[in-house]
Amino acid sequence: MEMHQVRYFLAVAQQLNFTRAAEECNVTQPSLTRAIKQLEAELGGDLFRRERPVAQLTELGQRMHPLLKQCYEAAAGARSLASSFKSGEIGALRIALTHSIDLALLIPHLSQIKRQFNRLEFCFLRGTCREVGELLKKGEAELGIAAGIDEAWDRLDTWPLFTETFELVVSKDHRLAERAAIEFDDLRTEQLLSRTYCEHSKRISASLREQGIDVGHTHEISSERDLIELVEADIGVAMVPHTSSLPANLKRAAVAGLDARRTVSLYGVAGRQRTAVASAVMRMLRGADWRAITG
């Protein structure tokens, strides 16, 4: 079945006249008639009763009409969408982020990219470091952002964006809320919240353990939202990256001597063709001045 055959069928069904349908389709009547006969042969029956001067849909034609119309409109829509992507009128980006990366980091850049396209479609994927690497490897994401991907793959391109410290976060009513700097001794009696989804949670725990802090009885959480609610309720304190978005009623402070830093990097796949949006976002993120948000 060819799309031009379907188009001719729909034209005749609307005009109920082969001559007018041929004029509408800008073809000769013999060409239109021949195409419809080929369609009828493929479908196994007549689609029209040819009664001069009009043509009437047969029972088969009536049943096939909505299906062929849907088929033709879907094909036309697909062509239109493909043309829009090719011309750059529509852009799309699939980007994978680890759970510990705050999407707020990207918002200013995505807002700027949005102005370059009449229509922009984003797909944000979340996962662990390993899962982000797999999404890139399988082609399910064009770009990835993580604080380290444990993937020994020679096609994985890595561009470090910024390095940041971790800070202690407490509720506004906590005894340490007004302290500009925190000592390890201040943490010995505190209940810690363990961000199990963070790539550096084990490293932070090890650093605290070296200072004699009990990290064996922590509250384990699996999302930033849970962390915020627990800290607000003064159920625990947490170590979070400097770039994490927090409500104004939470207080943060540096822990003196804490060996905890992370480097957030942009990842891509070498040699793989990127969409216009992915290329633009990559250039923008690599060229951005991150000092304002990393302190």
Side-chain angles (χ1 to χ4, degrees), residues 89-244:
E89 182 182 351
I90 294 178
L93 173 65
R94 298 175 65 85
I95 184 167
L97 306 95
T98 53
H99 296 294
S100 67
I101 299 296
D102 195 330
L103 189 60
L105 292 170
L106 302 184
I107 297 301
H109 307 286
L110 298 182
S111 297
Q112 186 173 345
I113 287 291
K114 185 179 178 181
R115 293 193 288 270
Q116 300 180 20
F117 297 86
N118 292 335
R119 180 178 163 191
L120 195 55
E121 299 172 356
F122 291 119
C123 178
F124 299 103
L125 306 169
R126 289 284 188 176
T128 63
C129 290
R130 183 186 62 80
E131 289 168 339
V132 168
E134 284 298 313
L135 288 169
L136 289 168
K137 201 170 186 178
K138 294 177 181 178
E140 296 177 17
E142 289 187 271
L143 299 176
I145 298 180
I149 290 182
D150 299 328
E151 176 64 64
W153 188 34
D154 57 2
R155 290 189 61 194
L156 192 65
D157 280 336
T158 305
W159 300 282
L161 299 179
F162 60 85
T163 299
E164 62 179 335
T165 60
F166 281 77
E167 300 166 326
L168 181 73
V169 174
V170 300
S171 71
K172 64 178 181 178
D173 298 321
H174 194 277
R175 66 184 181 86
L176 300 176
E178 301 305 321
R179 298 278 293 276
I182 307 297
E183 303 294 333
F184 285 113
D185 285 342
D186 297 321
L187 301 178
R188 299 192 190 282
T189 59
E190 295 298 330
Q191 182 73 57
L192 297 174
L193 302 176
S194 177
R195 301 166 70 247
T196 58
Y197 51 90
C198 178
E199 304 93 318
H200 289 67
S201 61
K202 292 182 179 180
R203 179 177 167 187
I204 292 173
S205 294
S207 181
L208 293 173
R209 189 181 294 110
E210 290 174 358
Q211 300 297 326
I213 308 298
D214 181 12
V215 295
H217 300 86
T218 60
H219 298 307
E220 293 190 0
I221 56 174
S222 58
S223 76
E224 209 79 339
R225 179 169 181 173
D226 291 345
L227 179 143
I228 290 172
E229 292 184 354
L230 290 171
V231 174
E232 286 178 329
D234 207 11
I235 293 177
V237 300
M239 302 298 302
V240 302
H242 178 75
T243 56
S244 293

Side-chain angles (χ1 to χ4, degrees), residues 276-288:
V277 181
S279 297
V281 169
M282 183 182 70
R283 289 193 300 269
M284 187 172 292
L285 294 180
R286 292 180 62 189

Side-chain angles (χ1 to χ4, degrees), residues 26 35-36 73 105 184 212 294:
N26 197 29
I36 289 182
E73 290 176 347
L105 292 170
F184 285 113
T294 59

